Amino acid sequence: MDFRDSETALGPQSADLLPASATTAVKVVIVGGFGVGKTTLVGSVSEIRPLTTEETMTQAGADVDDTAGIERKTSTTVAMDFGRISINEELVLYVFGTPGQERFWFLWNGLFEGALGAVVLVDTRRLEVSFEVIGRLEDRGVPFVVAANTFPESPSYPIEELRAALDLPPEVPIVACDARTRESSRDVLLALMRYLYELPAPSAR
C-alpha cells in the first residue's frame, strides 16, 4: 500500500484523523475501466492523504491487462483507493475507487455495500472499456453519473453523442472532468449528489 505524499513511514498524521464532531458518514464509489484516472480523482479531491493500493505492473499481467492506448501506465490499483471529504462539521463523505481490471472486480461487492451511488469515469479515447462497467451498475440498480476525463489528445464529443455511444438513458448526467484538479473532481461529486437528491424516493412496501 502507498500513502501518497507521506513524509512518514507508518502511522496516521493528525490531519488525517476523523474530526471528533463527525457524527454521520456517507459513501460513494468511483468506478471505470482500466487506466481511466480513478486513483487520480480520489487523490485530487481527498482532504486527507489518499490510501492507495497501487502495485507496479509486471510482465506477468501482459497477457491479461489490455494496455492499448495507455502504454505508459506503470502501476495499477489492486484493491481500492480511499479518500475523505468533510461536508460540514458533522457529515463526512468517504470516496472509494475500485480496481479497473476485470480480474479484480470480485472486490466490488464489498466496496459497494452501503454506497449512495457511483461515478463512472470514462476515457473518450477508449469508451469500450466502460461498457461492461456501466452494465454492472445497471444490473445492480446503483444510481450513477458519468464523468468524461480529460487526457492529452482526448477527442471531444457532444454530450448526446457520448450518451448514444454509452447507451445511457436521458436522465443519467454526463459531465466533463479533469481528474487532476480538485475543483473539477469536486464538481463531479456535486453532480452525483444533485442527481441522487433528485431521484424519487423508493416506494414503501
Side-chain angles (χ1 to χ4, degrees):
M1 293 185 181
D2 169 42
F3 286 95
R4 186 180 303 166
D5 299 331
S6 174
E7 297 179 357
T8 58
L10 293 172
Q13 295 182 355
S14 58
D16 297 338
L17 299 178
L18 187 66
S21 59
T23 59
T24 305
V26 294
K27 173 183 179 182
V28 298
V29 183
I30 313 299
V31 301
F34 183 41
V36 298
K38 300 179 296 295
T39 298
T40 300
L41 188 149
V42 173
S44 70
V45 80
S46 177
E47 67 188 15
I48 62 172
R49 297 173 303 164
L51 169 64
T52 68
T53 56
E54 286 204 312
E55 296 292 341
T56 301
M57 296 173 63
T58 65
Q59 190 60 35
D63 296 330
V64 181
D65 301 325
D66 182 6
T67 58
I70 50 170
E71 290 83 2
R72 289 181 292 181
K73 186 172 177 60
T74 59
S75 62
T76 183
T77 299
V78 297
M80 67 173 185
D81 304 310
F82 171 75
R84 189 188 78 212
I85 305 168
S86 293
I87 306 301
N88 54 42
E89 291 184 356
E90 298 180 348
L91 177 63
V92 296
L93 176 66
Y94 292 138
V95 183
F96 288 82
T98 64
Q101 302 100 310
E102 188 172 351
R103 58 194 166 112
F104 294 127
W105 284 3
F106 67 92
L107 296 167
W108 283 30
N109 292 333
L111 291 176
F112 271 95
E113 186 174 349
L116 293 179
V119 171
V120 179
L121 201 59
V122 302
D123 179 352
T124 57
R125 301 169 301 176
R126 303 179 298 121
L127 285 178
E128 67 280 358
V129 304
S130 302
F131 294 160
E132 189 167 354
V133 171
I134 290 173
R136 288 172 67 91
L137 292 183
E138 291 175 336
D139 289 344
R140 288 171 174 264
V142 176
F144 64 91
V145 301
V146 171
N149 195 11
T150 302
F151 287 90
E153 302 178 0
S154 291
S156 178
Y157 298 109
I159 293 296
E160 290 314 309
E161 285 190 23
L162 280 177
R163 186 178 304 280
L166 295 170
D167 194 23
L168 294 174
E171 66 271 13
V172 174
I174 303 176
V175 296
C177 171
D178 184 342
R180 299 168 297 180
T181 70
R182 179 178 177 84
E183 293 79 10
S184 183
S185 298
R186 176 205 60 199
D187 289 346
V188 170
L189 295 178
L190 287 173
L192 174 61
M193 293 299 107
R194 285 193 293 268
Y195 178 54
L196 294 173
Y197 181 78
E198 294 168 358
L199 288 176
S203 48
R205 293 186 177 181

